[in-house]
Amino acid sequence: MAQDAADIARSMGFQPTVREFEEVAEQLLTGERPERPCVLLVDRWAFLDGRRAEVLRRLDRRGLGPVAVIEPWNREDQQGRDHGRRLDELGDDVLSVSRGVRDKPSLQPRSAAPGSIEEFRGELERAVMRACTAHERRSVRRPSLGGQAGRPGTGD
């Protein structure tokens, strides 16, 4: 799935870097906000691993706008269907901030998790755009002058 994500990002004109969660989790938790937009692919089975679930929960509560979260899910997998409800409930707890943002009203219909490559492509495109928009909003703000709120720059 990570390679599919990288291919889709390239087709959108981005230069993706694919890394394992453990490599970057601590950096995301303790460092500054990411310098680039990020998309985090979460395997929903990780919600059953107490250590990973806690790291995801802490990351989610940090509210990093430039980090968009996607939970790819194969709805054809019988084991996944058998445990889907439990994993949904655990995910609601672990990723309450990210799921709350993702579930805001939208003109785009969406399911609980992308379950086909076509749904994944659409969700990844939306996640990349959410992360880019949050990153750009943060990047273009100018320091406030004389107590006035900073305004977005015009790009000059």
Side-chain angles (χ1 to χ4, degrees):
M1 195 60 71
Q3 187 57 46
D4 290 332
D7 291 342
I8 293 167
R10 274 190 212 89
S11 75
M12 296 173 67
F14 293 98
Q15 299 291 324
T17 302
V18 178
R19 296 172 34 197
E20 291 292 324
F21 178 67
E22 284 78 13
E23 289 179 39
V24 296
E26 199 59 34
Q27 178 186 358
L28 289 172
L29 286 170
T30 60
E32 296 292 317
R33 291 187 171 273
E35 294 179 13
R36 295 176 197 90
C38 301
V39 176
L40 177 62
L41 301 178
V42 174
D43 182 342
R44 293 160 41 117
W45 292 105
F47 300 147
L48 297 173
D49 177 329
R51 184 184 55 79
R52 284 190 176 141
E54 183 55 31
V55 171
L56 285 167
R57 182 179 288 108
R58 288 176 47 216
L59 180 61
D60 185 64
R61 298 317 184 267
R62 190 148 184 237
L64 298 172
V67 179
V69 177
I70 301 179
E71 303 165 53
W73 189 246
N74 180 358
R75 285 192 287 275
E76 302 302 316
D77 177 57
Q78 183 61 47
Q79 188 177 15
R81 285 196 308 259
D82 292 345
H83 297 279
R85 182 181 208 133
R86 173 149 167 72
L87 293 172
D88 280 339
E89 291 169 357
L90 288 168
D92 285 345
D93 177 54
V94 172
L95 298 175
S96 62
V97 174
S98 296
R99 284 187 175 187
V101 168
R102 184 184 66 199
D103 292 336
K104 284 184 179 174
S106 169
L107 297 176
Q108 307 258 349
R110 67 165 245 90
S111 59
S116 69
I117 193 66
E118 294 81 18
E119 289 174 357
F120 176 71
R121 175 180 286 278
E123 186 64 21
L124 179 61
E125 289 172 355
R126 287 186 291 278
V128 167
M129 296 315 296
R130 281 193 315 268
C132 286
T133 299
H135 177 73
E136 288 169 1
R137 283 183 184 150
R138 189 192 72 196
S139 298
V140 298
R141 296 202 189 279
R142 293 183 180 165
S144 62
L145 302 172
Q148 296 175 342
R151 294 182 13 199
T154 58
D156 49 287

